[in-house]
Amino acid sequence: MNAYIIVEGDKTETIVYPKWLEILAPALTRVSDVFDMHENNYYLFSGGGIPSIYNHIANAIEDINNINAKGTAIIDFLIVCIDTEEESREYILGQIDKKLTERNIPLSSFNLVVFEQKVSMESWFLGNRRIFKSNPEDEALRRYISHFNVKENDPELMDNINPDEFSTKAQFHHSYLRKIFSEQHVRYSKRQPGEVCKKHYLDRLVERYNETGHIATFGRWYSFVMDNLR
């Protein structure tokens, strides 16, 4: 089994997904060039954000069609991981279809699987209930919790606290996560996501999904990995 993975960002996702795959699918080996694939390999590439990721998806499909036609290796899945931010899964799928139609690129001999990160990957990270403090010292974090308690409610459903303060929901979710970590004297940044890469953190997200059905887009990605990439 081989997989070509495109992630939207060039920071968090390129660090976290390989670490999580090491934990969940240890037999899957990363290669640095898609043309080096043999068996049980994956290639991970950053799409460089919106809207450039849609061109990269089209380019990847062309590459996979060519590789599979030659028969030197068979790529089974093209996996796309992308933030919804203010959009929907339906919008994202529509944009992909539009790009493929514009460039007249067919899908053949592999499966395209799209995983939306609703609202962002930080929204998933907020699903860890064990790092949550109900009565934090930080005044801003207390205000965030009053707005939306992510321990009790699904982080993916959290609206922006104040559009004048944060221009997008994703920015607010990122700030909320950083405040939670700071309360635990742990540093988080997109370039150094740290704790979220570790097995104990991933286990807490799986636990949250299994027990509550929250962070459902994470659960869909996790279930796919367990069923198809191990």
Side-chain angles (χ1 to χ4, degrees), residues 21-38:
L21 288 173
E22 284 179 15
I23 296 165
L24 298 176
L28 199 62
T29 302
R30 185 177 184 180
V31 295
S32 58
D33 190 315
V34 67
F35 295 97
D36 290 338
M37 287 216 187
H38 295 290

Side-chain angles (χ1 to χ4, degrees), residues 11-27:
K11 301 180 183 72
T12 311
E13 293 97 326
T14 60
I15 299 169
V16 177
Y17 278 120
K19 293 294 185 182
W20 283 2
L21 288 173
E22 284 179 15
I23 296 165
L24 298 176

